[in-house]
């Protein structure tokens, strides 16, 4: 997917296309890659619309369809019709209405696992981010993976073989090369081993990505979901002696952790060459998504982007602000006031300098001490007898300050909370850098909106 997106983006750059067409080609590349890997063209289109959040219009859907269908057709020509995950449903795997409560329960479990998936990935990433040396990252990442794979061999690679074995009831294959092989015939040991593999898969994936490798997130989310579905079926079969289909529960579980209900539903439907599991897929995927969204509105795809202020969504008002940078909007007319100055000095400054309704009061080291607004001194401006008044008599503490490099959305919230139109900008040491006005932000917003629309 990353490679397909890069190809689309680079072709657009070479052709000197604008932002909208560059984004469209990037999305076409990503969707085509997914369609080719799984031989699932509809999933490629839905993935782009849901995960990459491209607008749903005829201008975007037609190129997406063409690229996805072309990629899938070429993949079929070169590699044949066998998909990366070969699944065949039997009559015993068919959905039954009395299983709806179990799929609701599976949706709840998958929603909680999806939250665990996102949270652990973020925390492992934060841990590795503190390590400056790439060599130490590689060493720690390699050690973590080596230990985990030694204990849980199914963690090796993308994991498709593991959940394919699980899906077809070949749980013994999961224990190959494992320390626990001699216990592979004990039902509860099998269940505990699968649970451990599922939880540690997230740590293995996050360690790989954070240490500098490319472990992806799409395949691991399928892996974890598949194991959650299989665990649900195995526990019910072991406890109650039921005969639940491992194939159907594993497939449906795959849809629950991705945090992209439409993509997962169509992916599983295309992989299983039919829509016999459409109802349980919809139940599980939607419940899982709702629970995970309640616990954390961001998915693994969007969490870091939102933290960095770089998340582009279908909400155009928010997306435009992603392209605005505070550093480009800071104003500084070079007019400063020292606390030792008087009202008369302000009058002199006003007579020879262009100024706004805002005067920062700075000490010798340019630390912000306070502000003087024109309205606060207006009454005494035309009374020469008060020109000797120290400026500190009119100085007020700023209702708030904006930190350098702060996100524009955060700045706008500060304006609304303090009911002001101008706020000073400072660095971490409280050195004055300039000021930002709400009107300047809104002007830049309108200009950027026009630019993107064109």
């Amino acid at each position: 997917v990353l490679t397909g997106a890069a190809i689309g983006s680079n072709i657009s750059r070479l052709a000197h296309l604008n932002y909208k067409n560059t984004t469209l080609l990037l999305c076409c590349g990503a969707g085509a890659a997914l369609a080719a890997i799984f031989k699932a063209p509809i999933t490629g289109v839905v993935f782009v619309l849901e995960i990459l959040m491209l607008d749903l219009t005829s201008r975007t859907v037609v190129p997406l369809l063409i690229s996805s269908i072309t990629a899938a057709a070429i993949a079929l020509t070169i590699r044949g019709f066998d998909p990366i995950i070969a699944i065949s449903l039997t009559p015993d795997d068919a959905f039954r209405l009395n299983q709806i409560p179990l799929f609701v329960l599976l949706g709840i479990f998958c929603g909680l696992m999806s939250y665990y998936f996102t949270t652990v990935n973020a925390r492992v990433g934060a841990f590795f981010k503190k390590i400056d040396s790439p060599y130490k990252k590689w060493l720690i990442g390699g050690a973590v993976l080596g230990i985990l794979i030694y204990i849980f061999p199914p963690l090796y690679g993308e994991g498709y073989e593991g959940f394919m074995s699980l899906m077809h009831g070949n749980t013994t294959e999961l224990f190959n090369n494992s320390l626990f092989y001699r216990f592979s015939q004990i039902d509860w040991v099998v269940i505990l081993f699968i649970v451990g593999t599922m939880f540690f898969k997230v740590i293995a994936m996050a360690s790989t990505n954070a240490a500098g490798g490319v472990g992806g997130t799409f395949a691991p989310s399928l892996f974890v979901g598949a194991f959650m579905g299989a665990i649900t079926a195995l526990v019910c079969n072991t406890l109650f002696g039921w005969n639940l289909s491992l194939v159907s529960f594993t497939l449906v579980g795959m849809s629950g952790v991705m945090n992209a209900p439409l993509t997962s539903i169509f992916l599983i439907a295309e992989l299983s060459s039919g829509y016999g599991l459409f109802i349980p897929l919809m139940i599980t995927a939607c419940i899982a998504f709702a629970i995970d969204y309640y616990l954390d509105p961001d998915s693994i795809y969007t969490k870091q982007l939102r933290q960095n202020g770089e998340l582009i969504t279908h909400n155009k008002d928010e997306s435009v602000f992603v392209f605005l940078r505070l550093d480009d909007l800071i104003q500084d007319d070079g007019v400063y006031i020292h606390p030792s100055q008087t009202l008369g000095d302000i009058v002199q400054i006003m007579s020879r300098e262009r100024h706004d309704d805002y005067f920062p009061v700075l000490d010798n080291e340019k630390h912000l001490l306070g502000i003087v607004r024109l309205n606060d001194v207006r009454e005494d401006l035309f009374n020469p007898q008060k020109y000797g008044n120290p400026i500190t008599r009119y100085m007020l503490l700023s209702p708030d300050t904006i930190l350098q490099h702060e996100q524009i959305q955060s700045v706008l919230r500060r304006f609304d909370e303090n009911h002001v139109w101008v706020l000073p900008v400072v660095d971490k040491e409280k050195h004055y850098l300039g000021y930002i006005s709400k009107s300047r932000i809104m002007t830049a917003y309108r200009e950027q909106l026009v630019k993107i629309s064109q």
Side-chain angles (χ1 to χ4, degrees):
V1 172
L2 290 172
T3 303
I7 292 171
S9 178
N10 286 326
I11 289 175
S12 180
R13 288 168 185 259
L14 290 172
H16 303 290
L17 301 182
N18 60 18
Y19 166 79
K20 291 186 75 172
N21 288 327
T22 299
T23 303
L24 178 57
L25 277 183
L26 181 151
C27 291
C28 285
L34 194 69
I37 288 293
F38 291 102
K39 298 176 184 174
I42 297 176
T43 302
V45 174
V46 176
F47 171 81
V48 169
L49 297 175
E50 187 173 32
I51 301 297
L52 302 186
M53 300 182 185
L54 193 68
D55 288 335
L56 181 60
T57 64
S58 59
R59 176 187 169 277
T60 58
V61 171
V62 172
L64 277 174
L65 284 170
I66 293 172
S67 60
S68 295
I69 292 170
T70 303
I74 293 175
L76 289 169
T77 302
I78 296 174
R79 298 206 313 259
F81 285 84
D82 293 332
I84 194 171
I85 302 175
I87 301 167
S88 57
L89 296 177
T90 66
D92 293 334
D93 302 320
F95 165 67
R96 296 176 178 82
L97 287 177
N98 61 0
Q99 294 177 345
I100 287 180
L102 291 176
F103 286 114
V104 170
L105 189 64
L106 177 58
I108 295 172
F109 290 154
C110 286
L112 296 174
M113 178 53 65
S114 181
Y115 175 71
Y116 169 82
F117 194 89
T118 305
T119 304
V120 169
N121 181 71
R123 290 182 179 178
V124 172
F127 169 77
F128 276 91
K129 199 171 183 180
K130 296 176 184 177
I131 304 172
D132 295 329
S133 171
Y135 299 103
K136 289 182 180 178
K137 287 185 179 181
W138 301 341
L139 183 63
I140 295 173
V144 169
L145 288 174
I147 293 170
L148 289 179
I149 292 172
Y150 181 71
I151 300 173
F152 300 101
L155 295 179
Y156 183 76
E158 293 167 320
Y160 292 132
E161 296 84 359
F163 65 72
M164 286 299 296
S165 298
L166 188 60
M167 187 182 303
H168 293 108
N170 300 324
T171 55
T172 304
E173 292 184 8
L174 297 175
F175 287 83
N176 288 344
N177 303 312
S178 168
L179 298 172
F180 309 103
Y181 185 82
R182 64 178 180 270
F183 306 111
S184 60
Q185 302 301 321
I186 304 175
D187 291 340
W188 285 108
V189 173
V190 172
I191 292 173
L192 291 174
F193 185 80
I194 294 171
V195 170
T197 303
M198 177 181 65
F199 278 96
F200 284 110
K201 177 66 174 179
V202 182
I203 298 175
M205 172 211 69
S207 299
T208 301
N209 293 330
V214 182
T217 56
F218 193 90
S221 70
L222 294 178
F223 181 99
V224 172
F227 272 54
M228 178 58 78
I231 290 167
T232 303
L234 286 171
V235 169
C236 290
N237 292 344
T238 303
L239 273 180
F240 307 110
W242 296 345
N243 191 27
L244 298 180
S245 168
L246 270 178
V247 175
S248 60
F249 273 80
T250 304
L251 278 173
V252 173
M254 288 169 64
S255 69
V257 179
M258 197 184 300
N259 209 347
L262 290 176
T263 301
S264 57
I265 288 170
F266 281 101
L267 174 63
I268 306 308
E270 288 191 283
L271 287 178
S272 57
S273 303
Y275 293 87
L277 295 176
F278 216 62
I279 292 176
L281 282 169
M282 293 172 68
I283 293 172
T284 301
C286 292
I287 290 176
F289 178 81
I291 289 176
D292 183 58
Y293 187 84
Y294 175 78
L295 296 173
D296 187 352
D298 286 314
S299 69
I300 194 170
Y301 303 106
T302 63
K303 195 174 188 70
Q304 187 174 352
L305 289 172
R306 190 183 297 279
Q307 290 172 348
N308 297 338
E310 299 172 349
L311 178 61
I312 299 175
T313 69
H314 289 302
N315 186 329
K316 295 304 175 188
D317 291 334
E318 290 187 2
S319 295
V320 173
F321 287 120
V322 172
F323 297 94
L324 303 182
R325 294 288 178 265
L326 180 65
D327 293 351
D328 300 329
L329 302 177
I330 296 176
Q331 297 172 262
D332 184 10
D333 51 21
V335 178
Y336 315 125
I337 300 175
H338 193 271
S340 62
Q341 290 181 293
T342 63
L343 178 62
D345 295 324
I346 287 189
V347 174
Q348 291 294 322
I349 291 173
M350 293 172 61
S351 65
R352 66 175 186 268
E353 300 281 354
R354 179 184 176 278
H355 63 89
D356 292 299
D357 179 23
Y358 174 88
F359 298 94
V361 181
L362 311 179
D363 62 14
N364 293 331
E365 297 179 355
K366 283 191 127 181
H367 290 108
L368 180 68
L369 302 178
I371 58 173
V372 175
R373 300 186 184 279
L374 186 59
N375 285 338
D376 299 328
V377 300
R378 192 183 303 277
E379 187 176 339
D380 295 342
L381 277 180
F382 303 100
N383 187 350
Q385 295 179 356
K386 296 189 176 182
Y387 284 1
N389 290 347
I391 201 61
T392 51
R393 180 178 298 182
Y394 305 95
M395 184 181 76
L396 299 173
L397 291 177
S398 176
D400 208 341
T401 55
I402 305 300
L403 285 175
Q404 187 182 20
H405 309 312
E406 197 167 331
Q407 297 176 16
I408 296 295
Q409 295 95 319
S410 172
V411 174
L412 286 174
R413 284 195 296 270
R414 305 282 196 88
F415 282 124
D416 293 338
E417 291 168 359
N418 295 284
H419 306 288
V420 295
W421 281 80
V422 178
L423 285 172
V425 181
V426 298
D427 60 17
K428 293 181 180 179
E429 287 75 34
K430 300 298 182 183
H431 292 112
Y432 180 77
L433 302 176
Y435 64 92
I436 185 79
S437 67
K438 191 174 183 180
S439 58
R440 178 73 179 272
I441 293 177
M442 300 316 296
T443 299
Y445 168 85
R446 287 191 294 271
E447 292 173 352
Q448 188 63 48
L449 184 62
V450 172
K451 182 178 178 182
I452 290 178
S453 299
Q454 292 175 345

